[in-house]
Each structure stands twice: as C-alpha cells, then as structure tokens.
Amino acid sequence: MAPSVQWTDGFTRPFVQAVLVTAHNKMISLELSRVFESDSGLTTNAVVCSSGPPLALFSAHCIWRGNRDIIVAAGSMFGEVLIWKSVCDFQHSPVKYNPGILLQSLPGHDGSVFGVHMAIAEASRDASLKYVLASCSDDRSVRLWDISKSFATHHQGWIVCQSSHTGFGSLPGDENQAALASADGHLSRIWSVRIVCSNDGEFSVFSFGEDATSQLWYLTKDATLVPSRVGRASIHRLETAKSFSSHSSKNLWSSEIQLQKDGSVFMVTGGADGRTVLQVPVHDSQALRCNFAFSKLQEFFPNGPREYTSSSGIVFDSMRGNWSIHRTIISALSSYPSGTFEGSATLVERPPTDGEYDREILYAERGKFTTNQGFAFEGSRRYVYRYQEASSRITAWFVTLDEEAKVDYLFHQVTFDAKGNQQNASGQIVASGHHLCIRDDYNAEYAFPFDGTRLDTWSLKYLVAGPFKDYIASATYTRIPGPEPGLKDSPQPAVESAGIETESIKAYCWLSINELLATTSTGHVLHGTISLGSGVANSSQINIHWKVIDQKEDLQHYSSLTRLPGLGAIINGNSGQLWIYSSKTNQVEPLTDLSRKLARIITIEMKSHDGTYYGIIATCLGSDTATLITLQSDRTRASYKIISQSQLDLPEGSNITSALYLPAPGLLLLGLRTGSILIFSPPSPTSPPSPLPLLAHLTRIHHRDAVTSLTPLTPLPSSDPSTTHVLTTGREGHITIQALTHTHTHSTDPALSLEKVHSSQPPLGSMIEGSALDARTSEILIWGFRGRDFVAYNLSQHREVFSVECGGAHRSWDFLLAGSVDDYGEGRDGPGGEFGCGNLVWTKAGECRVLVQRGGASRVLKEGGHGREIKALACKALEGGGEWGGKKWLVATGSEDTTVRLSVYESQKGDGEGMRTVGMVSKHITGIQQLRWSEDGRRLFSCGGREEFMVWRVRRVPCVEVGVVFEAKCPPVTELWSHLRIMDFIVEEAEGGFVCSMVYSDSSLRVWSYDLSTATFKLLATGNYSSNCLTQIAAIELDSIRYLLIAATDGHIALWPVPDNLVSFEASRDLHPLLRHQIHQSSIKVLSTLQIDPSIVLVATGGDDNALGLTLLTVSSGAADNSNSRVPQPETLLIPKAHAASVTALQWLKDEDGKDKGEGRLVRLLSASNDQVMKTWEVRFGDLCHGVKDLEVKKGKEYQTEVADVACMEVMRAGEERRVALAGVGLETWRI
C-alpha cells in the first residue's frame, strides 16, 4: 500500500513534520530538518509514534486536528473502515509513542477497501452533515459515511476492538453504523475515491476504477422521508452525474482533484496506459450537472397563454397527467402493516360537477402493496381535486365507489399561505392539509419542486396519529412521459385545453450554430433561437426562444427534418409531400410531391465548375427506387429551383442510409442499410429525367450493417490523382477507409475499383452515426452512441472529445459540428475552437435538451501507450522521400493488453525526437508474443496465445497516416480454444507469398505457406523437439543449406534442416532436428544470430541463468559431400553473471557498426536484462581457425534503464541514423 502522508502546517520549529500511515496500521512520524546552510543537506528522522488496531490495510487517509490530534481513516482488506485518533506531542523531537484511540468501526463493504477519503464541510447545506467519509471497494461500490461522531467523541486511553467473524468489532455499546448512501457504477474494482465540498456546501464524490473510467457522484436527499422514522441512512442517495473515459486499457492508478476559488474543479488522472489527462474545468456541482441546459417549449394556447395569480393555480394545472407512484408506509402499530406500494396514478381533468368550483380533476391510482413480511395484494383508490379561481383554493374530496365516481364528502383543503405562494428552503412550493377521521388525525404535506414552469415530480406525505392508527405514508410521484390525458367527458381535444406543451417533438434539425428547427406531433413547425452566457461556466444559462412558423396537417404524427446547408431544411410528412424551410424567408413552402410516404431523406452538396447544386435523395417505403432531386440556388440563397429529377434503381430490399458526391471523378456514392455501397454517375444539370446508370455495386463494406456516413479525405501530396480516399462508418461499430480508383477507358463509363486500406473499431460501441473531416488539420471526428451516452471521438488523436448522458440512440436527436472558428465568436485555441465542438439537441423524458459544447471535455497532458507490459517490438525505417519523407521509423509494439500499437518515431536535430501513436489494432484476444515486418514493410505479422497468428496489411493513407487492415488468420491445429501459445516465428518471402515458421509451447515446430492472392495458409511441415517449450526461432544458412535454429526452455539450441523445395510439396512433411547443443542451465530467453561468412554463424543467447552465451556454428570448408564434417559443429563461450538477472534482450550491431583496426574483426553486441541495465560487449575475432578460442570478449559501457521487465530490443537504422528501442513495462529509445 502506498503510504498516506499528511504534513503539518504552520509549525515554527526548525524542522518539518509529516506523518505516514503504513499497511500495518502504524503511524510513523517523519522529521525533515531545515538545515539548509549545512553541507550535510537535509536530514531525516522517522519513528513509530502511534498505531491503530493491528490489521492489514489497503488504504488510509489522515487529517490534522490542531497540533496534537490526527484522525485516521483506515480501509482494511476485510471490508471494514476504521476511524482512529492519534494524540501525540509533535512539538518535541523525537516524538514519543502513544497508542491510538478507536473512534468508529464502519462495516458494510463486501470486499477489500481500496480507497478512503475524509472531508470537512465548513458550510454544509445539511447542518447535521459536516464530516463525511467516502470509501470504495473490491465489491465495486462507493459508500458515503457520516463520521461526525469521530470528530466529536473523546475517549481516555486505548479502546480494544472485540473480535468478530472477520476479526473486527466496534466500540462497546455502539451498533454498526450504516452508510449514508451507497451506489454501484463501475464495471470492475474501484481503486480510489475523493470527496469535494463545493463553496455552497454540496458534497460530490469522484471515484477511479479498474475499468479506466472516473465517475462523478452527487449526494442528494429525499425530502419526502422523515429521518426520525426511517433513519438517516435511507434519506440520502448517491446519484451518478457523469462518467469520464479518457484512457485505454485498464486501471486508473493516480488522480488529483483541485477545487478552485470560483467553484470549478480540475481533475487530473493517470492510467496504466501511461497517459495523463486533465479534465478541463469541471465546475461546481450545479454547473457540472448542467453542462447542458434543459429547454422547455413555450406554452401556446388558442386563446393566448393562461395567466396564474397564485401558485395554487400552477400546481393544479401541473398535477394533470400520468404518474408513477412509490409509497412507503411505516406503521407503529402491528394491526396496520408497514410496507411499500408501487403503482401508477392518472389525474384527468373533467367538467366541474359543482358550479361553485371552476375546475375539477379526478385522481385514480392502482398498484400493488407489499408488506415488510412479504405479503402482497392489489389496491386502488380515487379522489377528486377541485379548484376555485376566485379564492385560489384547492380541495380534495372522497368519491363514491361506482363508475361515475361522484363527489361524496370533503377530505381536506390544500392550504397555501394567504397569497398561495408558500415555499420551503429548497425553493419548492409546499402546502398542507388536515382531516379528522373520528379520533385519528390525518396531516397532509405536499411538496412541488418546479423546474421553471414544469413539474416532473412531487411528493405527498400523510402523518397519521391517533388511538386507532399511527403511521407515516410517504409517496413520490414521477411523471410518465407521453401525451397528457384529455378532458374526461369533454368534447374538446386535449391540445385545445392544454396547448402545445402537451405535444411531443418528432424531429430536430440544426440550421446554424444558434438556430434549430423542430416539428411536433400535431404538425407545428417551430423555429428555435439559442441564447447563452459568454463562457462554459454560464452554459447552464442556455435558453431557447421558440416561435411557431407554420402548421401542416401532413406533418401530424410523423415528420422528419434534414438540413439543407446554406438554404434551410427539407421537411417530410405522411403523404410523400416534400416541404422546404427557407432560412432567408423564414417560411415553409411546398417543394415537390412524390405521391407516397418516404422512408428517408438525405441531402448532399454537388459542386461543379458552373456552381453549387444541392441534391435531395428520397427513398419511398416499399419501393426499390429512389429519387434524386437537384436544386439550384441564386447567390443570395433566397430563391431556388428544381433543375432535374432523376430515378435511382436500387437492389431489392435496399434502403439508403448515407450519400456522398465526389466532384473530381463525378461520382455519386450511396451507402445502404445492408452494408453495401452503390456508385452512380450523377446527372448533368441539362440532362432529361431518366434512370441514372449504376456503375458499381460493392457489397459487404460493413458486413450486413448500415453504412451510416461517407466522408471524403484530403489526398496525400504524393497520391495518385485517379484515387480518392473515402471514410465510411458502419452500424456494426467499425470505420474503414476505402481507396476508390477511377480510370477512364475507351467506353463511356469509367473503370472503378475499391480497396479497403484501413479498418478499425473505435471505443464507441456499435452505434456510430456520423463522421466529419477538419479541412485545416485533416483530423477526423466520428460521433455516435455508447450505451446511454452520446460520444464525439477524435479518430486522429485517439481520444474522446466529449460525451453526454442522453438515454441512448432511440430518440429524436440532431448534432451539428461547429464548422468554423467563428461559430462561437472565438479562435481555434479558445473554448470554441477545438475540432469536435458543436451543438447537440435531443428528447429525453418528454423534454427538449440542448448541449452547447464549446471546448473539449479533456486535454491530454502526456500521451501514453500500452496498459500492460510490452512483449514484442518491431521497427521499419521510413526514410528518404517516398511516401513518408523525413527520417522516421514505424514502430510496432505488442503487449499483454492484447493490442498492437503503431507509432511513428521521428529523428530530428536537437531534442526534438519523439514518438506518437498513429494506429492501434485489437483483434487478438490474448497477449501478444511476437511481431515481425515483412521484408518490403507492407505487412505486419503477429502471434500470441491460443494459436493466434495474424497478418496485417499496412500502408500510408490520408488523415490517419497509417492504414491497417486485417488480412488473414492462420487456422489452429489443435482443438478449439486451446491454450497452445505461439512463442516465436520468422517470415521469409516466397513466390506468391511468404513462408512462416513457428515454434509452439508444446515443443512443436510448424512451417506454413501464406498465399497473398487467396489470403490462405497451407501447412508445409511439422516437427517435434521434446517435452520442453520452444522459445526462439531463427533462420540461418551454412554452406548453402538452410536451417531453422530453435531455442528451448531446457537451455539447448537445436538445428533443423529445411528442404529448398518445401513450398512445392503437396502434403505436409515431417522435420527432424539435426543436432542439439546445451548452452544454458535453464531456459533460453533470447537469441540473435550474426553471419560471419557462408560457413560460420555466431549465435548470441541470453538465459534465465543470467549468463550470456556466444556459440559458433561452423561447417568445415572443402569437406566431401557425404562427410560428417558438413554437419555444423557447435562450440560455446559462456559468460556467467553477465547480468544480475535473466538476460531477456540481445541485438547485434552489424558489420557497418564495427571497426577493423588490423587486429581482427570487431562487432558489438547489446544486451539487456530484468536488472534494468543495458550493456555493450565488444567481440573481436580473426579467422576463427581455433573456434571460440579466437573470440575476445570485452564488456563495454553500462546504461541504467527505467524500463522494468525488459522483454525486447530493436536497433532502428535509417542511413547514418541509429537508435536502440528497449521495451518492457514502458519503452525507451537510445542514441548509439
């Protein structure tokens, strides 16, 4: 456990005091002497000054109380949180030992407590809640505790814990204290937790988990429950407000929270992926909860808006609707059961049945009551609420049990103050009522927490006391989304009485960054104008001013909106009639009638040499044809005209989901719901109406899922002008980049070909909805839904720009990306300038909600890498002009986190070197064991557990820089889901493909051929070594004979001859080892070869025995063909204790790196070990007539590395440039 450290503050003595709490629950006093003038420097003195119960801890937090008292919260491995106090005299040195005092024991967690944090609220909203503690655990829960008792209790001497089944107990006479609130939100274990108390006294909790997310929680209070009856623990709730997902892989190991004076909160997190992220500014609880604002429709009525003279009128009007009920009954008498009622209530307005009252609502509820003993039965009741406008009075009445529900007698009067405007401290409208039932008093308490003019929840509590009844019934009513019930027995429809607020919005469309259009279920077309504050802190002040533009009968119950850039929007209704809303005229006008209901409308810009046209693609329900309508607008965009209308013939059962016009080749691309892409030749403005020619039908671009967007990418400077790259997104959660090549032949139609050059699966889930390209930086943004969240993700930077909880994809919504630096009136580097910012509008719980995202939700302070140790490393040079340019290396790393990352390492003068991630693939389901590049650098090969061997096609593509496509997977040879691991492999080019030789953990060797034309594998040869795991493989050639050199865990190397014509064999061949030779006492961890001449190979090996081995494999020259001297002869020079731990990485620096000084040949060897030391070795030799006796080995320099558990090493060469990459838990590069 990392020690919990707390420094003293304000002491004037000549040393600095700190205390540490250890994993054994002991407190250590640490004194740092302030002797700055002394040559001896800073001196320290550490003594154990106190201790709590002798338990093993996973977490602790301590707070100074004055100069003597320290309060410690300790989280144990058995699920208990202990609060104890140390009373020591820290004014004198050394501090004398004084045992601690146990204050509180807080059981409740079902797993080890990994994090605790205490906070003190100087101005808490709840006067009784000043000292709180948050804890998190292995049980995935976050709990909040009231520890005021610990700060108020005084004990003399040490209080010994009584033993319990877990080894813990509590203070004598104390009962186990329940948590104030508990909640689950993480997908796995939670490592740490922090409490923040805002300036207005509101508590918020941050938790950091193994799932690489941080969660924000708020402590809320249910005002409908009575603490004296139900206990304090049950009236508080922990509600999740936001989830931050800015890291890859697993585990957030470090975090820091800082509360600013203005109430904003800054959060910095560090994960196992090495990335450090700043969440920019997370404001106080209210602003953070409302980074978006809830905008309500203004009320429209046929006779004007209703005016209220008191709160009672607003309350009466707002009570109408459908409500869910949760009622808790707590009874003090056994004759009246306690329990819970769950059900629903309908409050329907009906014509008044008494002329003395102006309005009347029938209340009817039905549900199930379950007693605390588990008995359940159905129940129902009805009342009538009446409203008298002259007196602003609401009364509740009993009704008869018959169908007519006639008013029977008075229940109670709902009493407000004289003006009907009574509010409590929370700003709720409250009222009360009283009824005497024989000798039992019924006291009713109402609470109406309005949000503006909208009521989504209210509560009603009955406190009943008397000789026959003694109980509290607390009910919470939550509005059920949907149409409001109409007037019962009234000939007028509900909308005429209730106005447009009872309508539901069917569609949204952003016209600009400050304007949007909406259509409703009754055919209204609304124009909304956004007004907001001048900064992110004021984003909760977003307001929308709605204006009714028009009402069309054709738009009732069903309508859709599609943005027409620069002109306005296209509106579609029930009959196939298309309407156009003009932003210039602010009017809705008919465009054309397609005579049948439309399934989808898509708009595109069609730029050409003679101007800009707009295309409207409409697909009719149940039809295999679509219509392309071409519009032309004047320069002012105030008028427009249809210049052509063409038919598109679609494959049977096709629905168009996306479209793109490519002006350079003059092609129209349509994405289909079936995952296919159709390519048409678009019409010219003067062409007569006719079906457009279909040029290509490309299937399974996104398997069988919808193609949701098509985006053209900025071409590379060196790219072929006949090739266009298009980004596609699919509903299966993948993105692809397709290279579309179009060449004109002697025929009228061009020759088309489409090749996938990149494919990946971003962390958005399956609901990717759209994409866009930043023309200034060539960055790519994609957006969609991940569970209940809407997420915008920067694909080029591999990071999340923002996310917001909106309920999921199945709702009306629209997103508009900020298209220019002036959209928010600020520069690119300001809050409004980051690519990915924009506006989101959606419907949730019957409300229109708006998010104006001005800046990114996070900022990467330091880029990271893998989430676990790197096991494989492969580099290729990207030097000289070509398609890359500059002195660069493409570095592939494979890790135990099952991912392969591609990074570009660039060599510059000075200190400008650096590595940036340009791609990541995650198709493996086990840890990566080895990576190799093909000789031409166009393919990457990877292997891992469960016989996973994969081929990846790699090339340069626009915007993402490196395109990666999964090409093939080698079939397994054992049963499904075998645990057989491919330990190492080599790849050699062959005619039409590659030959891949692999060694396995079951001591087997297999040779496969890979055919490039069919992307298939064929087993060529197999061999078995023994029962030992094979760890390394290399290919060598001695006297024109090819061999496979392998290493094993028994410390031996073995040589296997390979026939030259192996690829031509039809059936698999058996291979047998030619010789075995022991080098190390135990496993050989690494092997590297150096060809000295055609008949001599020098092999360097590193072992688990910490030794370095140099082995000569020699074939005597001039021997007869059938002589035993043609068998390679091994001879080893072993250097014991070459490192202090296992030697895990070796690399020869080739001939060009050595020097010939006339004293023999000189080569250098680099070695690295788990002792975190890299060493250089000079190996000098002559003609090697006497074998290893001619080897002269000298140890060179040693370099300390910060990479733990070194697993691999690569020498990167590009011309004269040399770098050494060292990888394990982290990655380092060294200049040579």
Side-chain angles (χ1 to χ4, degrees):
M1 184 194 79
S4 176
V5 182
Q6 182 70 40
W7 295 88
T8 57
D9 187 17
F11 292 177
T12 57
R13 53 191 182 279
F15 56 85
V16 178
Q17 190 83 39
V19 293
L20 298 85
V21 179
T22 71
H24 298 287
N25 210 10
K26 295 183 182 296
M27 182 180 292
I28 296 177
S29 171
L30 181 65
E31 298 175 359
L32 305 178
S33 300
R34 290 174 172 169
V35 191
F36 299 110
E37 299 83 0
S38 172
D39 293 336
S40 60
L42 195 66
T43 61
T44 61
N45 181 30
V47 296
V48 177
C49 62
S50 187
S51 61
L55 301 171
L57 305 183
F58 273 140
S59 57
H61 182 228
C62 49
I63 295 179
W64 285 91
R65 300 290 289 171
N67 292 343
R68 295 174 56 87
D69 295 355
I70 299 177
I71 305 295
V72 179
S76 76
M77 67 170 56
F78 296 108
E80 195 168 20
V81 179
L82 303 177
I83 313 295
W84 59 279
K85 180 171 68 172
S86 168
V87 182
C88 296
D89 186 2
F90 293 99
Q91 298 289 341
H92 300 87
S93 179
V95 180
K96 295 183 178 180
Y97 178 83
N98 195 16
I101 302 170
L102 181 62
L103 303 178
Q104 275 183 278
S105 174
L106 307 174
H109 281 292
D110 296 326
S112 301
V113 181
F114 291 133
V116 292
H117 188 256
M118 295 180 288
I120 303 174
E122 299 298 337
S124 176
R125 291 183 177 181
D126 186 348
S128 63
L129 194 60
K130 184 176 181 180
Y131 306 95
V132 294
L133 177 142
S135 60
C136 61
S137 167
D138 192 18
D139 62 9
R140 306 182 184 182
S141 71
V142 175
R143 296 174 186 257
L144 206 63
W145 313 80
D146 180 9
I147 57 170
S148 302
K149 180 179 179 180
S150 295
F151 285 81
T153 305
H154 300 280
H155 295 276
Q156 299 295 327
W158 170 252
I159 306 298
V160 180
C161 290
Q162 302 298 320
S163 177
S164 65
H165 68 283
T166 59
F168 303 103
S170 58
L171 286 174
D174 283 353
E175 297 180 353
N176 289 341
Q177 178 177 335
L180 277 174
S182 176
D184 300 308
H186 287 270
L187 299 177
S188 52
R189 293 174 290 184
I190 308 174
W191 297 131
S192 60
V193 65
R194 290 288 300 272
I195 303 177
V196 174
C197 183
S198 62
N199 297 335
D200 57 359
E202 186 177 64
F203 289 105
S204 56
V205 180
F206 291 85
S207 57
F208 309 89
E210 185 183 18
D211 58 3
T213 67
S214 50
Q215 307 272 354
L216 172 62
W217 310 82
Y218 289 108
L219 180 65
T220 61
K221 188 174 180 180
D222 190 344
T224 65
L225 301 179
V226 181
S228 61
R229 295 295 186 103
V230 300
R232 295 189 62 203
S234 61
I235 68 173
H236 290 88
R237 301 284 185 271
L238 269 178
E239 297 181 355
T240 180
K242 190 170 179 62
S243 176
F244 303 91
S245 179
S246 302
H247 295 265
S248 60
S249 189
K250 292 183 177 181
N251 297 315
L252 294 187
W253 291 126
S254 56
S255 61
E256 180 59 32
I257 302 290
Q258 189 176 64
L259 178 64
Q260 306 296 314
K261 292 182 179 179
D262 62 356
S264 61
V265 177
F266 283 77
M267 178 175 70
V268 181
T269 55
D273 58 358
R275 175 181 282 187
T276 304
V277 179
L278 168 67
Q279 302 292 344
V280 289
V282 177
H283 288 273
D284 64 357
S285 58
Q286 181 179 1
L288 182 63
R289 269 192 248 181
C290 300
N291 191 25
F292 47 88
F294 304 124
S295 173
K296 289 82 181 175
L297 293 176
Q298 295 179 343
E299 295 180 333
F300 295 96
F301 298 93
N303 299 321
R306 179 177 289 122
E307 295 183 358
Y308 302 104
T309 58
S310 66
S311 295
S312 58
I314 300 176
V315 167
F316 188 86
D317 216 34
S318 301
M319 288 173 66
R320 298 175 306 167
N322 298 316
W323 306 85
S324 64
I325 310 173
H326 174 78
R327 180 182 292 119
T328 303
I329 299 177
I330 301 175
S331 176
L333 302 177
S334 59
S335 58
Y336 196 95
S338 300
T340 303
F341 177 85
E342 300 284 348
S344 61
T346 302
L347 281 80
V348 183
E349 188 167 357
R350 69 182 188 181
T353 57
D354 189 334
E356 185 179 348
Y357 297 93
D358 300 289
R359 302 174 66 188
E360 189 170 294
I361 291 177
L362 175 63
Y363 172 101
E365 74 171 42
R366 180 177 295 274
K368 180 184 288 187
F369 178 74
T370 305
T371 68
N372 290 347
Q373 290 75 30
F375 300 102
F377 54 86
E378 300 290 333
S380 63
R381 66 175 63 180
R382 291 187 294 179
Y383 300 108
V384 158
Y385 284 96
R386 287 173 166 174
Y387 179 63
Q388 191 178 62
E389 291 185 357
S391 61
S392 300
R393 185 177 63 175
I394 299 176
T395 51
W397 300 74
F398 291 106
V399 298
T400 59
L401 300 179
D402 55 19
E403 288 288 336
E404 297 183 7
K406 297 179 180 179
V407 175
D408 195 359
Y409 60 94
L410 180 67
F411 183 15
H412 61 265
Q413 178 176 325
V414 183
T415 306
F416 298 83
D417 62 6
K419 296 182 180 181
N421 293 317
Q422 182 174 329
Q423 293 187 355
N424 63 9
S426 301
Q428 300 175 336
I429 297 177
V430 296
S432 61
H434 176 263
H435 173 73
L436 179 63
C437 180
I438 308 177
R439 297 170 60 187
D440 296 322
D441 283 300
Y442 282 72
N443 292 289
E445 296 180 356
Y446 293 82
F448 302 95
F450 278 86
D451 183 5
T453 61
R454 186 175 180 85
L455 182 68
D456 286 325
T457 183
W458 58 284
S459 61
L460 172 58
K461 179 168 59 182
Y462 286 105
L463 293 87
V464 183
F468 305 109
K469 299 175 183 177
D470 187 3
Y471 67 88
I472 294 177
S474 302
T476 300
Y477 294 79
T478 303
R479 187 181 295 278
I480 300 174
E484 181 180 312
L487 285 170
K488 189 177 180 62
D489 300 328
S490 171
Q492 300 295 328
V495 68
E496 293 188 11
S497 174
I500 203 172
E501 189 179 4
T502 64
E503 297 180 343
S504 60
I505 293 181
K506 289 298 183 181
Y508 297 103
C509 175
W510 287 103
L511 302 173
S512 69
I513 210 71
N514 297 316
E515 295 177 280
L516 75 157
L517 208 64
T519 54
T520 72
S521 57
T522 57
H524 283 95
V525 180
L526 306 177
H527 179 273
T529 304
I530 291 181
S531 61
L532 65 159
S534 59
V536 178
N538 297 321
S539 61
S540 59
Q541 298 176 5
I542 298 174
N543 293 302
I544 300 181
H545 174 69
W546 291 103
K547 181 180 179 182
V548 175
I549 301 300
D550 206 338
Q551 184 175 17
K552 303 292 183 183
E553 183 179 355
D554 186 53
L555 304 181
Q556 292 182 5
H557 308 299
Y558 172 80
S559 57
S560 67
L561 288 168
T562 307
R563 185 177 180 231
L564 196 59
L567 288 181
I570 300 297
I571 309 174
N572 168 37
N574 294 280
S575 64
Q577 172 71 53
L578 289 183
W579 308 82
I580 183 168
Y581 167 80
S582 173
S583 298
K584 293 292 184 180
T585 63
N586 201 28
Q587 292 180 352
V588 177
E589 300 173 353
L591 181 63
T592 187
D593 190 353
L594 299 179
S595 302
R596 59 189 302 180
K597 191 173 183 178
L598 302 180
R600 191 181 182 104
I601 300 292
I602 299 174
T603 60
I604 55 175
E605 282 190 273
M606 304 174 65
K607 295 183 178 180
S608 64
H609 63 279
D610 57 348
T612 299
Y613 300 88
Y614 298 92
I616 303 169
I617 303 171
T619 306
C620 296
L621 285 174
S623 174
D624 292 332
T625 62
T627 302
L628 172 61
I629 304 168
T630 307
L631 291 181
Q632 185 179 30
S633 172
D634 59 10
R635 293 185 177 181
T636 63
R637 296 182 177 179
S639 63
Y640 51 85
K641 63 178 180 179
I642 298 178
I643 61 173
S644 68
Q645 190 165 318
S646 306
Q647 179 179 313
L648 304 171
D649 293 326
L650 309 177
E652 183 179 357
S654 298
N655 289 312
I656 301 174
T657 54
S658 56
L660 171 66
Y661 175 72
L662 297 175
L667 298 175
L668 176 64
L669 279 63
L670 301 180
L672 303 183
R673 192 180 298 276
T674 57
S676 302
I677 291 180
L678 302 179
I679 303 179
F680 288 88
S681 178
S684 64
T686 59
S687 61
S690 62
L692 298 183
L694 177 63
L695 303 180
H697 181 192
L698 308 169
T699 60
R700 301 184 66 84
I701 301 299
H702 284 277
H703 302 286
R704 296 187 181 274
D705 293 284
V707 181
T708 56
S709 71
L710 299 166
T711 304
L713 301 182
T714 305
L716 295 169
S718 58
S719 62
D720 186 349
S722 64
T723 300
T724 303
H725 289 85
V726 178
L727 174 76
T728 72
T729 61
R731 193 59 59 79
E732 91 285 25
H734 285 77
I735 67 102
T736 74
I737 295 178
Q738 305 284 341
L740 176 62
T741 302
H742 44 91
T743 56
H744 288 275
T745 61
H746 296 292
S747 63
T748 57
D749 295 333
L752 299 174
S753 64
L754 196 69
E755 181 186 14
K756 181 164 61 176
V757 295
H758 179 66
S759 177
S760 67
Q761 186 174 11
L764 257 72
S766 62
M767 301 295 288
I768 302 178
E769 299 292 343
S771 61
L773 176 71
D774 188 350
R776 297 162 295 182
T777 63
S778 295
E779 293 179 2
I780 298 174
L781 184 85
I782 58 176
W783 58 84
F785 294 90
R786 183 178 58 211
R788 297 175 58 85
D789 295 341
F790 180 88
V791 181
Y793 186 83
N794 190 310
L795 194 65
S796 302
Q797 297 183 7
H798 304 280
R799 71 178 184 91
E800 188 176 295
V801 179
F802 75 89
S803 66
V804 60
E805 197 277 323
C806 65
H810 303 290
R811 64 198 61 251
S812 298
W813 65 278
D814 191 36
F815 175 66
L816 176 65
L817 187 66
S820 70
V821 294
D822 298 325
D823 278 339
Y824 290 118
E826 300 174 17
R828 176 174 175 82
D829 296 330
E834 182 173 355
F835 180 57
C837 302
N839 290 9
L840 175 69
V841 59
W842 73 98
T843 298
K844 183 179 180 183
E847 286 185 332
C848 167
R849 305 192 180 197
V850 173
L851 165 67
V852 175
Q853 184 70 33
R854 290 188 152 194
S858 62
R859 185 175 302 161
V860 178
L861 302 181
K862 177 182 176 295
E863 279 293 351
H866 289 281
R868 293 189 61 185
E869 59 270 28
I870 298 172
K871 289 294 187 180
L873 178 67
C875 306
K876 74 168 183 176
L878 308 171
E879 60 176 327
E883 59 175 1
W884 295 88
K887 293 182 178 178
K888 302 177 182 178
W889 292 269
L890 185 58
V891 180
T893 54
S895 167
E896 284 291 344
D897 64 6
T898 74
T899 64
V900 176
R901 282 180 176 263
L902 295 173
S903 305
V904 171
Y905 182 82
E906 187 168 3
S907 172
Q908 298 177 357
K909 293 182 178 180
D911 298 326
E913 299 193 5
M915 186 176 295
R916 68 182 189 279
T917 300
V918 294
M920 183 174 67
V921 293
S922 54
K923 196 172 182 65
H924 281 275
I925 59 174
T926 62
I928 310 300
Q929 191 69 28
Q930 187 59 274
L931 296 170
R932 305 279 189 199
W933 287 105
S934 61
E935 191 68 26
D936 60 5
R938 292 183 175 273
R939 280 170 177 80
L940 177 68
F941 299 82
S942 60
C943 74
R946 292 185 173 174
E947 299 185 66
E948 290 183 336
F949 183 85
M950 300 184 186
V951 185
W952 310 87
R953 190 169 68 248
V954 181
R955 67 181 61 184
R956 191 181 184 195
V957 298
C959 301
V960 296
E961 194 160 356
V962 175
V964 184
V965 176
F966 170 73
E967 192 170 84
K969 181 179 180 180
C970 185
V973 294
T974 59
E975 66 274 7
L976 189 64
W977 300 114
S978 166
H979 293 285
L980 185 61
R981 179 179 289 269
I982 300 176
M983 302 299 295
D984 194 12
F985 67 90
I986 56 173
V987 176
E988 300 171 281
E989 290 190 4
E991 184 178 355
F994 298 91
V995 174
C996 308
S997 304
M998 312 176 198
V999 290
Y1000 294 75
S1001 57
D1002 65 349
S1003 199
S1004 63
L1005 163 70
R1006 294 181 179 89
V1007 181
W1008 301 79
S1009 68
Y1010 176 64
D1011 190 335
L1012 286 176
S1013 60
T1014 61
T1016 57
F1017 286 87
K1018 176 185 174 183
L1019 184 61
L1020 300 178
T1022 60
N1024 286 286
Y1025 173 70
S1026 66
S1027 60
N1028 298 100
C1029 172
L1030 303 182
T1031 60
Q1032 303 289 316
I1033 185 171
I1036 62 174
E1037 185 173 313
L1038 289 170
D1039 201 16
S1040 301
I1041 300 176
R1042 292 180 63 252
Y1043 296 93
L1044 293 178
L1045 176 66
I1046 67 166
T1049 54
D1050 60 358
H1052 287 69
I1053 61 172
L1055 211 57
W1056 305 63
V1058 179
D1060 292 334
N1061 57 347
L1062 185 61
V1063 179
S1064 63
F1065 292 152
E1066 293 295 331
S1068 173
R1069 298 288 298 271
D1070 290 333
L1071 299 180
H1072 302 281
L1074 181 64
L1075 64 86
R1076 294 175 65 237
H1077 174 67
Q1078 183 170 5
I1079 300 176
H1080 295 272
Q1081 295 179 0
S1082 54
S1083 177
I1084 296 178
K1085 308 291 287 185
V1086 62
L1087 176 150
S1088 183
T1089 63
L1090 178 66
Q1091 189 85 38
I1092 302 299
D1093 61 37
S1095 61
I1096 302 176
V1097 172
L1098 180 58
V1099 181
T1101 55
D1104 249 344
D1105 55 2
N1106 306 350
L1108 172 66
L1110 297 176
T1111 301
L1112 284 174
L1113 294 174
T1114 307
V1115 175
S1116 300
S1117 60
D1121 290 345
N1122 56 359
S1123 173
N1124 290 333
S1125 61
R1126 286 185 58 84
V1127 177
Q1129 301 298 315
E1131 189 179 5
T1132 298
L1133 171 65
L1134 191 67
I1135 304 174
K1137 299 181 181 180
H1139 283 269
S1142 299
V1143 181
T1144 55
L1146 291 171
Q1147 280 290 331
W1148 287 104
L1149 298 181
K1150 306 294 183 181
D1151 291 335
E1152 60 267 26
D1153 298 323
K1155 296 180 180 178
D1156 192 348
K1157 299 181 178 179
E1159 302 176 356
R1161 189 172 170 184
L1162 176 68
V1163 294
R1164 287 187 175 87
L1165 178 69
L1166 295 176
S1167 66
S1169 165
N1170 287 339
D1171 61 5
Q1172 295 185 240
V1173 173
M1174 182 172 63
K1175 296 182 179 181
T1176 61
W1177 305 85
E1178 294 183 355
V1179 182
R1180 192 183 300 275
F1181 53 88
D1183 55 12
L1184 297 174
C1185 294
H1186 301 91
V1188 295
K1189 294 180 181 179
D1190 291 338
L1191 293 178
E1192 180 183 340
V1193 182
K1194 179 181 179 182
K1195 185 175 71 172
K1197 294 183 179 180
E1198 295 185 4
Y1199 305 93
Q1200 192 73 33
T1201 174
E1202 295 184 6
V1203 176
D1205 295 333
V1206 174
C1208 44
M1209 177 195 298
E1210 280 284 319
V1211 178
M1212 300 187 291
R1213 301 175 175 85
E1216 297 298 324
E1217 296 287 339
R1218 297 288 187 276
R1219 298 292 184 272
V1220 174
L1222 202 63
V1225 183
L1227 188 147
E1228 284 182 347
T1229 56
W1230 295 73
R1231 279 198 187 99
I1232 299 178

